[in-house]
């Protein structure tokens, strides 16, 4: 069943432009120049119930703007979106009781009070039945192992612990749709891993629909089968993570281990493709996908090869290249 | 309805708890409020010494001090430290998003928070208040027969005026804070407000001392309800139909600022969500 439907969603901002210097500041008092920034330029997207979708994209690509639109914080310039049948920016209480937004850089808990007080407040605001509240809180406390921290003022928690509390607060009302904006930003590797594991388990059990934005490829690889790449406010890719490499990387990396006595010189290898690295008797080549069988046959025929590995290029590299391409194209 | 009351109670309870986290600051802040009254008493005793204790515009020295002590009570209800600047700060820092995402009303939530703050304040301040009034009881010696100490009607009207002054102060400052949706920085606006409040609310001197046309100007302005008006009611300056009419005008001002804050919030959110941030 479709739970999120977005059609032609656009959002542009008017941004105040100020030239450098005091004179410009004085002029700015009377007359201001604005520039139109298109954060989201017409997005179409549908998400089914229970999907875990990652939004990838460089900074300023429009990921967070999209999440803000879907959570009703901002109005679009044009286009439509429906989440669980609601128009987000109408901000119906009924809708607001059924989703949650967690921002890695924003704190929603009461700073000076223990988290359990904030949770109690959420119970009231979201009208959670006492039995549901106790059950969900117990479950989350155990999964995130935060039992001992509930009575400690939030300001005294570590960043990782605080994120766990933020997630607990956001999930207490059992939202059907969850938006996560960089939930692991600034966390160390262990804390990141903990949050990932929790999210994966929680999503598997509850079948919550989750949209996640993250800069950490590990988050995405661990959690999401479906990846949406946004750059310059447009969707550039929508599919599986492994599909990105198939589609955007026309090359493979071949590592050859030659016999000690007669390794080929770099000049001999150039004709196969780009030489990435030569450390005799080993060499790494970047070869066009279609050429791989022919090159391998040729190399094996000419030289004594002890070992060979054919690999896809690392995902990070492919994506970074993609972002760089889309930026140069738009310039 | 029961659910709502429980929600309100929970918000109140949590705000109270938060208020009591910084005990030292809270206690000090509560007690320091009594300091200005001491300087005021000294100031006016100096003024009256110079005048050979002749009354000033119908106010004798005792009446002046009594007036000040009573404005302290009305200001304990109507002053809203940090409310407007807090709202503007939340708008500037984007924390206002929380109220757009969660099913909670910003103004209602802030009102409950403020009630909790006031409740915490009164529960601590009542002892020093009582002490000060006990020590200064001689200044209340010659109150008129229809003052709140003698007449139940006046006492009731005084309570109504106080409660309305709390609400008026809250919605007025909330409206000022919500201007932050347009200007982001409202500190200079707040400074102007504070200054006007100081003179036009009756915080500095009894407003009925003023000559015309100032008297009429002040009466047309809502600020008098924040300090002068409840005291005037207490002292029995308004009676019968006049009292009812004055309370009604205060209520009309309250309704005006409730509506204004609603409109500002509604338009502000629309603007905010139009621009993002």
């Amino acid at each position: 069943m479709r739970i999120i439907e977005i059609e032609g969603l656009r959002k542009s901002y008017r941004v105040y432009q100020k030239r450098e210097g005091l004179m410009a500041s004085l002029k700015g008092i009377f007359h201001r120049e604005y520039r139109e920034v298109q954060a989201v330029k017409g997005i179409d997207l549908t998400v089914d119930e229970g999907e875990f979708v990652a939004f990838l994209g460089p900074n300023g690509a429009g990921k967070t703007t999209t999440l803000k639109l879907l959570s009703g914080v901002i109005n679009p310039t044009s286009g439509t979106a429906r989440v669980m049948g609601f128009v987000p920016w109408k901000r119906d209480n009924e809708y607001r009781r059924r989703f949650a937004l967690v921002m890695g850089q924003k704190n929603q808990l009461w700073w000076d009070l223990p988290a359990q007080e904030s949770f109690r407040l959420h119970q009231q605001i979201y009208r959670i039945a006492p039995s549901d509240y106790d059950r969900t809180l117990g479950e989350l406390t155990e999964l995130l192992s935060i039992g001992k921290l509930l009575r400690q003022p939030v300001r005294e928690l570590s960043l990782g612990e605080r994120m766990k509390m933020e997630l607990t607060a956001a999930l207490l009302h059992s939202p059907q749709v969850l938006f996560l904006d960089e939930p692991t930003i600034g966390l160390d590797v262990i804390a990141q891993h903990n949050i990932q594991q929790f999210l994966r388990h929680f999503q598997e059990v509850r079948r919550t629909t989750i949209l996640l934005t993250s800069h950490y490829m590990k988050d995405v690889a661990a959690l999401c089968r479906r990846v949406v790449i946004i750059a310059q406010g447009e969707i550039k890719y929508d599919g599986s993570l492994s599909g990105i490499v198939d589609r955007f990387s026309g090359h493979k990396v071949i590592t050859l281990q030659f016999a000690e006595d007669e390794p080929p010189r770099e000049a001999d290898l150039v004709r196969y493709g780009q030489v990435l690295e030569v450390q005799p008797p080993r060499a790494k080549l970047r070869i066009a996908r279609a050429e791989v069988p022919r090159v391998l046959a040729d190399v094996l025929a000419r030289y004594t090869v002890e070992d060979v590995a054919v690999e896809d290029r690392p995902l990070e590299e492919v994506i970074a290249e993609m972002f760089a391409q889309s930026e140069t194209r738009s310039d | 309805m029961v659910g709502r009351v429980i929600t309100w109670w929970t918000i109140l309870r949590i705000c109270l708890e938060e208020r009591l986290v910084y005990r030292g600051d809270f206690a000090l802040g509560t007690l320091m409020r009594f300091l200005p009254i001491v300087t005021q008493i000294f100031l006016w005793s100096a003024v009256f010494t110079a005048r050979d204790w002749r009354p000033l515009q119908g106010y004798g020295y005792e009446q002046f001090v009594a007036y000040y002590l009573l404005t302290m009570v009305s200001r304990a209800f109507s002053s809203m430290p940090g409310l407007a600047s807090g709202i503007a700060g939340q708008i500037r820092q984007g924390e206002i998003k929380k109220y757009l995402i969660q099913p909670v009303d910003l103004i209602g939530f802030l009102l409950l928070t403020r009630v909790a703050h006031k409740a915490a304040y009164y529960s601590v301040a009542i002892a020093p208040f009582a002490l000060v009034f006990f020590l200064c009881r001689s200044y209340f010696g010659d109150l008129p027969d229809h003052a709140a100490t003698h007449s139940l009607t006046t006492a009731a009207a005084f309570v109504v005026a106080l409660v309305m002054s709390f609400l008026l102060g809250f919605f007025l400052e909330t409206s000022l804070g919500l201007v932050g949706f347009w200007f982001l920085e409202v500190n200079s606006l707040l400074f102007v407000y504070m200054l006007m409040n100081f003179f036009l609310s009756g915080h500095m001197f009894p407003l009925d001392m003023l000559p015309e046309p100032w008297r009429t100007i002040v009466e047309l302005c809502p600020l008098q309800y924040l300090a002068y008006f409840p005291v005037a009611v207490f002292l029995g300056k308004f009676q019968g139909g006049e009292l009812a009419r004055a309370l009604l005008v205060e209520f009309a001002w309250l309704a005006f600022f409730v509506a204004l804050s609603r409109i500002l919030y509604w338009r502000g959110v629309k603007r905010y969500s139009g621009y993002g941030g």
Side-chain angles (χ1 to χ4, degrees):
Chain A
M1 204 193 91
R2 281 181 178 173
I3 199 157
I4 300 177
E5 288 171 284
I6 306 175
E7 247 175 76
L9 201 60
R10 279 170 188 281
K11 174 71 190 174
S12 47
Y13 297 116
R14 229 162 53 116
V15 192
Y16 168 45
Q17 300 286 298
K18 186 189 155 305
R19 287 176 215 279
E20 207 181 315
L22 181 63
M23 270 315 282
S25 297
L26 290 175
K27 272 185 196 160
I29 295 173
F30 303 103
H31 173 75
R32 298 207 160 177
E33 285 171 38
Y34 291 94
R35 187 168 63 95
E36 193 94 349
V37 173
Q38 298 200 324
V40 174
K41 296 183 207 160
I43 281 185
D44 299 298
L45 186 75
T46 54
V47 176
D48 286 335
E49 202 171 345
E51 270 195 288
F52 201 144
V53 183
F55 277 15
L56 288 180
N59 286 329
K63 303 180 303 263
T64 305
T65 306
T66 309
L67 287 195
K68 277 186 191 164
L69 284 164
L70 291 179
S71 45
V73 176
I74 52 176
N75 289 330
T77 310
S78 66
T80 60
R82 279 180 183 277
V83 184
M84 298 177 283
F86 295 97
V87 176
W89 43 90
K90 285 196 175 155
R91 290 190 283 275
D92 287 333
N93 274 341
E94 184 58 30
Y95 175 57
R96 297 199 284 184
R97 271 186 248 283
R98 284 168 64 180
F99 84 95
L101 168 69
V102 178
M103 295 186 135
Q105 288 158 306
K106 286 260 151 65
N107 183 28
Q108 298 197 31
L109 303 168
W110 289 61
W111 193 244
D112 289 319
L113 292 179
Q116 62 182 8
E117 301 288 359
S118 296
F119 297 162
R120 195 52 83 174
L121 191 64
H122 272 237
Q123 183 200 350
Q124 293 304 327
I125 290 176
Y126 285 98
R127 298 190 191 154
I128 308 165
S131 56
D132 291 342
Y133 173 80
D134 291 338
R135 198 184 56 240
T136 316
L137 182 59
E139 220 175 276
L140 293 167
T141 315
E142 202 186 307
L143 275 172
L144 289 162
S145 40
I146 47 172
K148 282 183 195 152
L149 305 172
L150 288 177
R151 297 170 63 184
Q152 205 167 309
V154 170
R155 61 164 192 271
E156 283 163 20
L157 298 175
S158 74
L159 194 61
E161 289 165 346
R162 214 157 70 215
M163 197 59 223
K164 288 180 175 180
M165 294 300 181
E166 290 279 341
L167 278 172
T168 307
L171 295 172
L172 275 176
H173 63 284
S174 307
Q176 282 168 273
V177 174
L178 177 63
F179 303 121
L180 297 169
D181 193 18
E182 317 252 0
T184 57
I185 197 158
L187 301 186
D188 66 40
V189 185
I190 298 167
Q192 264 180 44
H193 184 71
N194 282 340
I195 300 275
Q196 279 167 14
Q197 278 204 316
F198 164 75
L199 285 174
R200 186 165 52 203
H201 177 85
F202 184 85
Q203 206 269 343
E204 270 169 19
V205 175
R206 292 287 186 102
R207 306 301 299 157
T208 308
T209 310
I210 305 183
L211 255 61
L212 164 121
T213 76
S214 180
H215 283 299
Y216 295 112
M217 212 50 74
K218 287 213 171 104
D219 278 356
V220 178
L223 296 171
C224 311
R225 271 189 222 107
R226 183 173 168 197
V227 174
V228 174
I229 294 182
I230 302 183
Q232 263 78 52
E234 286 170 347
I235 292 182
K236 305 282 182 186
Y237 174 81
D238 182 353
S240 70
L241 197 58
S242 53
I244 297 176
V245 180
D246 291 342
R247 174 142 158 222
F248 294 99
S249 174
H251 298 85
K252 289 213 174 211
V253 175
I254 301 181
T255 312
L256 296 157
Q257 173 103 24
F258 298 101
E260 291 279 354
D261 48 341
E262 46 160 343
R265 284 174 303 131
E266 194 172 332
D268 297 328
L269 295 172
V270 172
R271 59 195 153 117
Y272 296 121
Q274 189 193 350
V275 181
L276 297 173
E277 194 184 308
V278 183
Q279 277 180 332
R282 267 164 55 118
K284 238 183 195 180
L285 305 175
R286 182 172 177 267
I287 312 281
R289 239 159 221 278
E291 292 288 293
V292 172
R294 194 190 60 75
V295 169
L296 273 182
D298 195 65
V299 170
L300 289 171
R302 280 171 196 263
Y303 309 100
T304 320
V305 175
E306 288 187 345
D307 194 12
V308 61
V310 181
E311 288 159 322
D312 280 317
R313 291 168 58 215
L315 186 65
E316 267 105 339
E317 209 178 293
V318 176
I319 290 175
E321 192 181 279
M322 236 181 85
F323 290 172
Q325 272 175 11
S326 64
E327 248 158 62
T328 44
R329 236 179 285 137
S330 74
D331 279 347
Chain B
M1 191 58 211
V2 178
R4 282 217 163 168
V5 173
I6 295 174
T7 307
W8 294 342
W9 171 242
T10 309
I11 296 175
L12 264 175
R13 186 177 59 80
I14 290 173
C15 296
L16 265 173
E17 285 175 31
E18 199 223 9
R19 196 72 194 127
L20 299 174
V21 170
Y22 295 106
R23 289 166 295 179
D25 174 67
F26 177 61
L28 204 67
T30 306
L31 293 177
M32 281 303 135
R33 283 202 159 197
F34 289 93
L35 233 95
I37 189 75
V38 179
T39 53
Q40 288 286 358
I41 291 178
F42 281 131
L43 174 75
W44 288 104
S45 82
V47 170
F48 275 94
T49 314
R51 291 176 57 83
D52 286 332
W53 305 95
R54 275 179 291 116
L56 182 69
Q57 304 279 350
Y59 277 85
Y61 172 62
E62 276 82 17
Q63 276 123 21
F64 246 108
V65 176
Y67 178 83
Y68 274 116
L69 288 168
L70 289 167
T71 54
M72 227 169 56
V73 177
S74 51
R75 283 189 45 82
F77 277 80
S78 67
S79 76
M80 302 283 150
L83 178 62
S85 55
I87 295 175
Q90 286 204 327
I91 295 170
R92 201 172 46 231
Q93 280 158 24
E95 280 166 33
I96 205 96
K97 275 192 206 82
K98 190 163 104 178
Y99 300 96
L100 302 181
I101 293 164
Q102 296 178 1
V104 63
D105 170 51
L106 171 78
I107 296 178
F109 187 83
L110 288 175
L111 181 60
L112 283 171
T113 314
R114 201 42 68 162
V115 170
H117 278 204
K118 290 287 180 198
Y121 173 68
Y122 301 144
S123 60
V124 174
I126 188 128
F129 256 109
L131 182 70
V132 168
F133 272 85
F134 177 73
L135 292 176
C136 300
R137 63 191 181 284
S138 61
Y139 297 117
F140 292 91
D142 54 345
L143 288 183
D145 285 347
H146 38 264
T149 40
H150 300 83
S151 146
L152 207 63
T153 322
T154 314
F158 176 58
V159 172
V160 172
L162 277 183
V163 171
M164 280 207 280
S165 80
F166 163 73
L167 292 170
L168 185 65
F170 173 81
F171 284 102
L172 205 157
E173 281 221 18
T174 300
S175 302
L176 283 172
L178 289 169
V179 171
F181 274 118
W182 287 266
F183 290 129
L184 289 181
E185 185 56 64
V186 295
N187 275 333
S188 30
L189 184 71
L190 289 182
F191 181 73
V192 173
Y193 166 72
M194 230 176 60
L195 210 69
M196 304 236 304
N197 192 350
F198 209 58
F199 292 107
L200 302 184
S201 72
H203 184 194
M204 275 297 276
F205 46 81
L207 294 177
D208 52 358
M209 274 177 60
L210 283 173
E212 290 295 352
W214 302 108
R215 180 84 197 270
T216 314
I217 291 173
V218 159
E219 261 169 24
L220 290 174
C221 174
L223 293 173
Q224 58 160 329
Y225 297 101
L226 300 180
Y228 169 75
F229 180 70
V231 179
V233 170
F234 184 93
L235 295 173
K237 286 180 195 281
F238 294 93
Q239 284 299 310
E242 210 188 348
L243 177 64
R245 195 188 63 91
L247 285 172
L248 219 71
V249 174
E250 182 176 15
F251 182 78
W253 273 116
L254 173 59
F256 170 77
F257 280 105
V258 170
L260 181 67
S261 64
R262 279 285 155 205
I263 292 168
L264 284 171
Y265 183 52
W266 181 68
R267 307 260 331 202
V269 165
K270 218 169 143 187
R271 178 187 162 92
Y272 176 81
S273 57
Y275 285 96

